[in-house]
Amino acid sequence: MKRMKMASSVLTLMLVFCIILSACGQKENKENGVDDSPKQTQDDGNAENTAENNTKAETVTIKSWDSSWKEKITPDLVDEFEQENSGIKLDVQYFPWNGMHDKYLVALKSNSGPDVINIAVDWTTPFAAMNKLVILDDFIKADNMDLSDFYAGPLETATYNGKICALPYRSETMGLFYNKSIFEEANLPDRAPETWEELIEFSQAATKDDIYGFGLVGNETNNLTARLFILVYSNNGKILSDDRKKCLLNEPEAIEAVQLYVDLYRKYKVVPKSVLENGGKANRNLFANEKVAMYLSGNYDIDPIYSDNPDILMGTAMVPEWKTRRTILAGWNVAITNTSEDKQASWKWIKFLASTEISPRYSATFPSRKSASKHEKYNDPELKPFLDALEYAYPLPQIGQMSQIKEIVYNHTLYALIGEKTVQEAMDEAVQKIDELLQ
Amino acid sequence: MDNKYLIRESIYKKIFSYAFLILLILFAVFPCVWMVLTSIKPAGEIFTSPPRLLTENPTFANYIKVIFHSNIPRAFLNSVLVTVITTILTLIVSILAGFGLARSKFKSLRILSVGILFSQLLPSIVIVLPLYMVFSSLGLLDTYASLIIANLSIVIPMGVFMLKSYFKNVPVELEESAKIDGCTGLKALFIIVMPVAIPGVIAVSIYAFLNTWQQFLYALNFTHSSDVKTLPIALLEFRQQFKVDWGSMMSASVVISFPVLMVFFLCNKYFVKGVADGSVKG
Amino acid sequence: MLKGRLKININVMYVIPAALIILFVMIYPLIYTFVLSFYKNDLFGSSMEFIKFEQYKKLFSDPVFILSIKNTFLWTIGCVSFQFLLGFLAAGVLNQEFIKYKMLIRILIMLPWVLPSVIGVNIWKWSYHSDFGIINGFLKFTGIVNDDIQWLTSGSTAMTAAIIVNVWKMFPFVMLMMEAALQSVPRNLKDAAKVDGCNDVSAFFKVTVPYISATSLTVLLLLTIWTFNAFTFIYVLTEGGPVHRTEILPMFIYKSSFRNYDFGKASAAGVVLFSITTIFSIFYFKFFFKEEKV
């Protein structure tokens, strides 16, 4: 009995402690950004969702789904927007990357989604094809928005059947990171390799003891296929035929590219043994801890690397050339869902986010507007290669089945990576499955 | 002659037994020890090959990150709420059902009790999608309610099963004599029968607590906002959110395990007895 | 007579809350899944076609599905046998009289079971890391191997590595159960057998086994069911990799639903999984109840 009493008092104490702790956590979160509490508006606090496009008489609440890495940025933007637009209140929810697409998809399918949605470029046309995104042409015309200010690539991702269904605000592509100290140790020149042949040479020189030349991605569908497809494009290979009915990944150019990817690990052995466990973040960790000399990634990794290892001496460059210079364009768009009850207010919010002034702040990498790229924060020499590369960046084929295609390519590349199948065999099988999918 | 043989045999027995137990303890315990050791390492020392056992510069930076700059505290509160509510509801429902089944002479109810065990068979993955659809149309996604309801389905069958066998072992005479004193029905249940079955009740509570606390699959699919997320999912996010994955994750693990381990160490006597009795008699 | 009826009714009422919850949260989704398995439905198509058994035909001609069934059996048999053997051995050794500090040993050994799964599995995942994991570090340090083993990413070791984690997690539970069972064997019977000239082994079979058989069978059943449904381990350790080598049926279902959005296929596979567990349990119970009567 005594033991029970002691147990229950300890438990109660712990419970109290935890509640206090989480209250502090909440405050911390409020300062850092997760705050949906009503802000100052002209009218009373709690707003209603009205069916009319009426933003003057009553306050309207717009539900916006955003990404978790924006938790520190968006709240300030929300404040500014709400001050400029009295009568509109924003309710923002943040989603982590893992599972984001699934959640969006299921919500849209069951028509229980938000008003505004923040989506990756590759998701845009598929969602539009499902009729889940509002066509924005009328709004654009009404506001006299100049579409030529957007880069061609991003705009392509936001267009479906000739109509605009989203506004791009973030565009990026990958570049090469290299570790200057490791290069010096290995007597390598103080620059990045310019071709893939050079990259192999440099990697071999740098591989020694527990340091490897190249951080290859062997895990995570999106991260692996992103890098793989860069190689395919660089070798003038294609993923799909122009009519999108056939997969071309088993053609010679593509095979060469996949072979190079696999050879970095199996033949040249310049890649850590844990390759199959390493996704995007893992490779960044390895690079930041100076265990790999080079790896491919976007400029969003620059700050995290320095924050992990402020003393690192690194350089950035464009992805090496092969037969040509071509990389994959990635990025994000904002769109209005078809279940939005107040499309006018939603339009104001997405226009705000994709504008020349705001998109540099909202985007973790680069904006999608030429005018916005002139922002002073992009003058950093480390960022220059990434900005230059936007010229050579093209989006993946914009079709709904792209995520399934990536999954198939990923699985089959793994067969080749672990040596169970040859690259030709693996890709032949992959192409067969993808062709079935495209019928 | 017999004695010498016995002594030699028993010395071998002793050595083997203790050696075996020590190895077993090392096997059982090393992950926890490794977790604590990693959590106090500074970032640079985690990614070394060969891995270092101890560090010369122990740091609490990881803990500070976890406790003050992450979603863990909120996730902790969420887990506590969901677990406590689930446990309470489980107890109420299981005690009632277990009692009803134990005392009933209805044949069909007996079949129900076997059926309840069958529901243990249900692979949770099979019902995730339908539940998701249902919760979505009821607007219950991303709420505590969805987690509680889903968790109840896992824990109640076992709870009913355990308590039924406990109640069966309580002699009916107790209730008969209580009836003579004018105490019947629910009152009889709580005042007379329950105290005898306390170990079973505790076992069911602990079972419900441990199971819900670490429930993963449902939380993974039914919640997404940090307001409602429970600890297992918050822990996984360390693989995305934070830069130095393992150090912070290990610290978070220590923070998460702490209450469970406390509960266990304090209550283990009842727990061991309760679970063992419940199933042996069952 | 009326009183008797009333009594029965009250008992039924007590059971109703539990029955309702189970009905809503389990039976309904099960039926839903069953029905869905007869339709072709993926998230991009907005219509559902009724295609009868097409889904099952497609399922059984999918090599990944067949592989997942094989994996599931491998996984279950591997896990359950070692969980039981290790736990039983531990219980037997611990149960001997001369062992001191029993409580302390028991608490330490229980640690894996009490530690939340997600955490335990993550620690193992980190320990298995090909370059920086402590397991490879230890093996190289003691000279047992010369090169890093890729535990979780090589086809030959992944399943074994996963089984080890599950065994680690569950053997304390077995030990607990079997200890209680062993303790219920009356001492005097054991001594009597020894006096009659039985040696340890035959005493074990003649005296101890009958007493522990009920618990053993229950434990084995529970272990099988839990292992069959285990999701967290595989999800965290390998996500079914490398290339489906550790993809057990629950993982296959999850991937079909949430990666490939093929809900029809996932539902069909779910029905298969549930059927296997049910058939197994029916046979088990039949066998078990027969035992009881004897």
Side-chain angles (χ1 to χ4, degrees):
Chain A
M1 247 325 120
K2 221 185 192 176
R3 245 180 149 199
M4 281 278 279
K5 278 209 178 131
M6 192 176 73
S8 40
S9 40
V10 171
L11 281 174
T12 330
L13 266 175
M14 275 191 333
L15 200 59
V16 172
F17 177 66
C18 300
I19 295 182
I20 297 178
L21 207 58
S22 64
C24 296
Q26 266 284 45
K27 239 203 282 175
E28 185 74 25
N29 272 338
K30 279 202 157 87
E31 277 148 34
N32 286 339
V34 184
D35 187 9
D36 312 315
S37 57
K39 299 274 173 107
Q40 266 182 324
T41 52
Q42 311 290 51
D43 306 321
D44 51 292
N46 288 324
E48 309 268 302
N49 224 342
T50 59
E52 299 117 38
N53 285 343
N54 179 353
T55 54
K56 292 214 170 123
E58 305 165 43
T59 38
V60 157
T61 307
I62 299 293
K63 272 210 314 199
S64 181
W65 279 7
D66 208 342
S67 341
S68 59
W69 53 90
K70 302 252 195 47
E71 274 184 89
K72 297 202 173 139
I73 306 177
T74 309
D76 291 334
L77 302 181
V78 166
D79 283 347
E80 286 178 33
F81 178 80
E82 283 179 346
Q83 276 182 17
E84 284 175 32
N85 294 279
S86 65
I88 307 183
K89 211 181 59 105
L90 286 166
D91 171 18
V92 185
Q93 274 194 348
Y94 301 91
F95 291 74
W97 168 251
N98 214 16
M100 187 192 280
H101 179 240
D102 308 337
K103 301 225 166 81
Y104 282 11
L105 200 50
V106 184
L108 287 178
K109 252 235 141 185
S110 55
N111 283 330
S112 58
D115 296 274
V116 169
I117 202 166
N118 170 47
I119 45 183
V121 292
D122 294 331
W123 306 345
T124 312
T125 9
F127 285 174
M130 282 165 33
N131 287 323
K132 299 296 179 188
L133 300 180
V134 170
I135 301 200
L136 304 172
D137 288 24
D138 292 334
F139 290 108
I140 294 175
K141 229 198 220 160
D143 280 0
N144 264 332
M145 184 183 270
D146 177 17
L147 287 180
S148 64
D149 190 26
F150 289 102
Y151 287 106
L155 204 57
E156 190 186 310
T157 69
T159 313
Y160 180 69
N161 271 348
K163 302 204 187 298
I164 308 284
C165 52
L167 286 184
Y169 71 89
R170 167 174 158 169
S171 300
E172 69 226 17
T173 187
M174 293 205 183
L176 183 73
F177 287 77
Y178 66 99
N179 186 315
K180 298 196 183 198
S181 327
I182 300 182
F183 270 34
E184 211 186 298
E185 270 274 318
N187 290 326
L188 289 170
D190 183 21
R191 60 168 175 84
E194 277 166 28
T195 63
W196 281 94
E197 285 86 20
E198 257 198 340
L199 185 140
I200 297 176
E201 271 175 44
F202 283 27
S203 306
Q204 286 172 312
T207 303
K208 196 171 56 152
D209 296 334
D210 68 344
I211 295 183
Y212 286 90
F214 191 73
L216 193 74
V217 173
N219 191 17
E220 287 170 15
T221 313
N222 278 308
N223 278 314
L224 187 146
T225 50
R227 284 132 177 113
L228 188 69
F229 287 154
I230 288 181
L231 272 178
V232 170
Y233 275 8
S234 302
N235 200 30
N236 269 333
K238 278 188 168 185
I239 305 174
L240 298 181
S241 60
D242 286 333
D243 63 357
R244 311 280 197 251
K245 286 287 176 208
K246 176 117 186 45
C247 178
L248 299 176
L249 280 176
N250 56 347
E251 305 272 305
E253 294 87 12
I255 294 286
E256 266 179 33
V258 183
Q259 189 69 57
L260 175 57
Y261 197 87
V262 171
D263 283 344
L264 281 169
Y265 170 54
R266 296 200 69 79
K267 180 162 150 200
Y268 301 111
K269 301 197 196 282
V270 293
V271 169
K273 295 243 180 58
S274 49
V275 58
L276 289 166
E277 298 170 58
N278 297 335
K281 277 240 167 61
N283 273 301
R284 183 183 74 203
N285 275 340
L286 286 172
F287 183 78
N289 283 290
E290 309 202 60
K291 297 292 172 209
V292 293
M294 294 180 275
Y295 86 116
L296 294 179
S297 191
N299 65 312
Y300 39 75
D301 270 359
I302 297 182
D303 285 340
I305 293 177
Y306 277 126
S307 122
D308 269 356
N309 186 355
D311 303 322
I312 192 173
L313 291 173
M314 71 173 177
T316 55
M318 286 203 273
V319 174
E321 264 190 284
W322 203 349
K323 288 208 184 106
T324 174
R325 170 159 265 137
R326 244 181 112 108
T327 55
I328 306 284
L329 178 77
W332 291 76
N333 303 331
V334 272
I336 308 178
T337 68
N338 66 333
T339 50
S340 169
E341 289 179 356
D342 197 314
K343 303 191 167 56
Q344 184 66 32
S346 306
W347 164 251
K348 290 204 171 140
W349 174 234
I350 64 171
K351 191 171 84 152
F352 176 76
L353 290 173
S355 62
T356 310
E357 302 79 35
I358 302 296
S359 56
R361 293 164 62 191
Y362 193 49
S363 161
T365 55
F366 301 105
S368 312
R369 282 176 178 274
K370 300 175 190 146
S371 55
S373 310
K374 303 207 170 63
H375 197 280
E376 52 179 9
K377 78 179 204 180
Y378 300 124
N379 289 338
D380 185 347
E382 241 167 15
L383 288 178
K384 192 165 182 318
F386 293 98
L387 200 49
D388 291 342
L390 282 180
E391 230 188 283
Y392 304 100
Y394 294 82
L396 290 172
Q398 301 285 295
I399 52 170
Q401 297 94 322
M402 191 36 94
S403 36
Q404 287 156 292
I405 293 178
K406 283 191 201 171
E407 191 78 37
I408 296 174
V409 173
Y410 170 68
N411 280 321
H412 288 270
T413 311
L414 286 182
Y415 277 121
L417 264 179
I418 63 173
E420 249 182 52
K421 298 198 167 125
T422 66
V423 170
Q424 186 73 53
E425 282 170 355
M427 286 298 120
D428 282 335
E429 269 184 42
V431 164
Q432 197 184 31
K433 290 219 175 102
I434 297 177
D435 282 345
E436 259 178 52
L437 198 61
L438 293 171
Q439 288 329 312
Chain B
M1 179 196 68
D2 264 334
N3 266 344
K4 259 208 219 145
Y5 172 67
L6 283 171
I7 289 177
R8 213 186 327 145
E9 198 192 64
S10 78
I11 289 186
Y12 282 141
K13 245 201 212 167
K14 278 194 181 166
I15 296 180
F16 169 75
S17 302
Y18 276 115
F20 176 75
L21 285 176
I22 290 180
L23 278 177
L24 205 60
I25 291 179
L26 284 176
F27 176 58
V29 162
F30 104 81
C32 306
V33 171
W34 186 233
M35 165 176 82
V36 176
L37 287 178
T38 308
S39 67
I40 56 174
K41 280 190 191 152
E45 290 186 33
I46 299 186
F47 292 90
T48 55
S49 164
R52 312 236 303 250
L53 262 184
L54 299 167
T55 169
E56 286 138 18
N57 320 311
T59 167
F60 285 105
N62 290 324
Y63 283 100
I64 295 184
K65 213 194 280 188
V66 164
I67 297 182
F68 294 110
H69 297 293
S70 75
N71 280 324
I72 292 287
R74 176 69 202 213
F76 195 95
L77 180 69
N78 295 335
S79 280
V80 167
L81 275 175
V82 171
T83 307
V84 167
I85 298 181
T86 307
T87 308
I88 294 178
L89 286 177
T90 304
L91 277 179
I92 297 177
V93 173
S94 305
I95 290 178
L96 286 179
F99 187 65
L101 283 179
R103 292 284 173 259
S104 121
K105 310 262 192 306
F106 242 176
K107 263 219 191 117
S108 49
L109 280 189
R110 287 253 189 87
I111 297 177
L112 188 66
S113 79
V114 174
I116 282 182
L117 193 57
F118 265 105
S119 51
Q120 266 283 43
L121 304 177
L122 192 63
S124 353
I125 183 74
V126 171
I127 61 175
V128 166
L129 188 65
L131 277 185
Y132 186 92
M133 300 292 192
V134 169
F135 287 145
S136 169
S137 48
L138 287 178
L140 282 180
L141 271 188
D142 210 31
T143 61
Y144 291 134
S146 62
L147 290 181
I148 294 175
I149 296 176
N151 282 323
L152 282 177
S153 75
I154 302 180
V155 184
I156 285 185
M158 194 61 163
V160 172
F161 185 67
M162 280 207 262
L163 282 174
K164 177 184 84 131
S165 45
Y166 254 93
F167 286 136
K168 263 217 166 111
N169 287 320
V170 176
V172 190
E173 292 76 39
L174 270 182
E175 286 161 68
E176 307 276 312
S177 54
K179 221 190 297 181
I180 296 176
D181 287 344
C183 175
T184 56
L186 279 179
K187 245 206 281 179
L189 171 62
F190 282 104
I191 300 181
I192 306 296
V193 181
M194 275 258 292
V196 180
I198 279 277
V201 173
I202 295 184
V204 172
S205 332
I206 297 187
Y207 176 80
F209 177 82
L210 284 181
N211 252 294
T212 317
W213 186 258
Q214 50 178 326
Q215 225 301 318
F216 179 73
L217 183 62
Y218 292 139
L220 181 67
N221 288 296
F222 298 153
T223 63
H224 46 70
S225 62
S226 44
D227 281 350
V228 187
K229 250 194 253 259
T230 53
L231 282 172
I233 312 302
L235 183 71
L236 267 206
E237 287 189 354
F238 275 99
R239 299 210 277 188
Q240 269 74 282
Q241 242 191 17
F242 282 90
K243 303 119 191 186
V244 182
D245 302 325
W246 297 106
S248 299
M249 191 192 280
M250 291 303 124
S251 321
S253 301
V254 172
V255 170
I256 296 174
S257 319
F258 189 65
V260 180
L261 292 177
M262 294 271 336
V263 168
F264 177 65
F265 285 136
L266 289 170
C267 309
N268 77 80
K269 197 164 77 163
Y270 298 95
F271 180 58
V272 169
K273 189 170 188 300
V275 175
D277 286 348
S279 65
V280 168
K281 288 178 187 158
Chain C
M1 257 309 91
L2 206 68
K3 240 196 199 168
R5 272 243 207 103
L6 208 67
K7 189 165 183 201
I8 294 177
N9 278 338
I10 290 232
N11 285 332
V12 170
M13 280 203 334
Y14 288 159
V15 177
I16 284 184
L20 275 181
I21 292 184
I22 293 183
L23 201 76
F24 173 64
V25 189
M26 284 192 158
I27 309 290
Y28 166 70
L30 196 60
I31 299 179
Y32 183 97
T33 304
F34 188 67
V35 170
L36 196 62
S37 69
F38 292 117
Y39 285 79
K40 171 180 159 84
N41 177 26
D42 69 48
L43 215 46
F44 287 105
S46 37
S47 66
M48 303 214 299
E49 303 162 38
F50 181 68
I51 53 173
K52 296 204 214 172
F53 290 104
E54 273 297 309
Q55 199 70 259
Y56 288 94
K57 270 198 229 158
K58 264 207 311 188
L59 193 67
F60 280 97
S61 54
D62 182 358
V64 178
F65 174 72
I66 304 292
L67 181 62
S68 77
I69 299 229
K70 208 179 69 157
N71 285 337
T72 312
F73 278 106
L74 200 63
W75 160 257
T76 308
I77 295 176
C79 286
V80 174
S81 31
F82 284 105
Q83 284 164 353
F84 189 74
L85 282 173
L86 193 60
F88 188 45
L89 196 57
V93 171
L94 190 61
N95 203 33
Q96 293 168 106
E97 277 156 25
F98 55 82
I99 305 282
K100 303 205 191 113
Y101 306 116
K102 279 209 174 100
M103 204 39 150
L104 177 66
I105 296 180
R106 210 177 281 135
I107 291 183
L108 286 177
I109 294 188
M110 286 296 290
L111 222 46
W113 190 42
V114 177
L115 201 65
S117 300
V118 185
I119 293 179
V121 179
N122 267 306
I123 301 178
W124 273 97
K125 184 165 176 144
W126 175 230
S127 309
Y128 274 136
H129 196 272
S130 311
D131 294 313
F132 307 119
I134 186 78
I135 293 184
N136 275 342
F138 176 73
L139 290 175
K140 284 200 290 190
F141 177 73
T142 55
I144 299 181
V145 292
N146 284 326
D147 216 7
D148 287 317
I149 302 181
Q150 298 164 296
W151 291 102
L152 293 174
T153 50
S154 130
S156 45
T157 52
M159 185 55 100
T160 314
I163 291 181
I164 292 179
V165 181
N166 199 3
V167 171
W168 171 85
K169 170 95 184 150
M170 294 306 290
F171 88 88
F173 171 76
V174 179
M175 184 188 82
L176 199 66
M177 296 286 130
M178 299 314 290
E179 230 198 321
L182 283 174
Q183 278 166 1
S184 73
V185 178
R187 264 278 299 280
N188 41 14
L189 272 187
K190 277 201 275 198
D191 294 340
K194 288 249 184 77
V195 165
D196 279 349
C198 291
N199 62 6
D200 277 333
V201 178
S202 67
F204 174 74
F205 277 105
K206 293 214 182 106
V207 178
T208 321
V209 167
Y211 276 91
I212 62 172
S213 62
T215 314
S216 306
L217 287 171
T218 312
V219 167
L220 281 172
L221 180 65
L222 285 175
L223 287 179
T224 309
I225 295 174
W226 287 337
T227 305
F228 221 76
N229 286 328
F231 180 80
T232 312
F233 293 102
I234 302 290
Y235 181 81
V236 174
L237 282 175
T238 60
E239 288 205 16
V243 289
H244 310 294
R245 285 283 166 276
T246 55
E247 190 160 311
I248 55 177
L249 208 39
M251 196 67 218
F252 175 85
I253 297 173
Y254 180 80
K255 274 195 181 167
S256 297
S257 312
F258 294 106
R259 299 281 161 84
N260 299 328
Y261 312 118
D262 195 343
F263 298 119
K265 194 189 237 184
S267 305
V271 171
V272 171
L273 178 60
F274 182 65
S275 315
I276 297 181
T277 354
T278 311
I279 295 178
F280 171 76
S281 305
I282 292 181
F283 276 115
Y284 198 89
F285 267 110
K286 275 220 156 99
F287 180 70
F288 184 28
F289 280 135
K290 242 198 248 169
E291 285 250 332
E292 267 225 327
K293 283 197 184 135
V294 169

